[in-house]
Amino acid sequence: MRPTAIVVEDEVLLRHQLMEMLAEAWPQLEVVDQIGDGAQAMASIERHAPQVLFLDIEMPGLSGIEVARRASGRCHVVFITAYGQHALAAFDAGAVDYLVKPLEPLRLARACARVRERI
């Protein structure tokens, strides 16, 4: 069975870029949903029960931190954000990793490896 993920990013171009980078970094990963806000993220988590969330922090509706707290224990979370100042809160919410935009392919590959070790 392939590992599953949801990508939550409110900026469409960045979401597409992340999808391309994930396909390179983790070809076996099946992205079951791509969405742009926190409320949709929670509904998608309930619907798909993914193993991994790739999650922005600043977005409409619920913040990524709030989504991670609510999803705690149900999936692994990798934050991908433009804001370095949320790292402590992200790890307090159970993050596996915290990547700062612009994304570097090698850094994303390392984050994917960390998640694979935990699955």
Side-chain angles (χ1 to χ4, degrees):
M1 187 163 140
R2 293 174 60 182
T4 58
I6 295 174
V7 171
V8 186
E9 168 61 61
D10 62 326
E11 295 182 42
V12 175
L13 291 176
L14 292 175
R15 188 166 59 227
H16 291 302
Q17 178 188 25
L18 176 56
M19 291 295 298
E20 290 173 6
M21 292 176 77
L22 281 171
E24 290 289 320
W26 195 354
Q28 302 81 11
L29 183 68
E30 179 183 357
V31 177
V32 294
D33 205 357
Q34 305 172 46
I35 45 188
D37 71 59
Q40 288 179 353
M42 290 309 304
S44 187
I45 292 165
E46 293 299 324
R47 186 170 43 257
H48 297 290
Q51 293 171 295
V52 187
L53 283 180
F54 291 91
L55 188 57
D56 191 9
I57 289 182
E58 296 287 329
M59 57 186 171
L62 299 172
S63 74
I65 299 291
E66 186 60 32
V67 170
R69 284 186 184 129
R70 292 182 183 191
S72 180
R74 294 192 277 173
C75 53
H76 302 285
V77 175
V78 175
F79 281 104
I80 300 175
T81 182
Y83 304 97
Q85 70 266 26
H86 299 292
L88 183 58
F91 285 108
D92 282 347
V96 172
D97 212 332
Y98 189 95
L99 307 175
V100 178
K101 299 171 190 173
L103 287 179
E104 297 176 17
L106 183 58
R107 185 68 183 87
L108 179 61
R110 279 192 224 133
C112 290
R114 280 192 186 101
V115 173
R116 282 193 302 270
E117 289 174 1
R118 295 174 184 218
I119 290 180

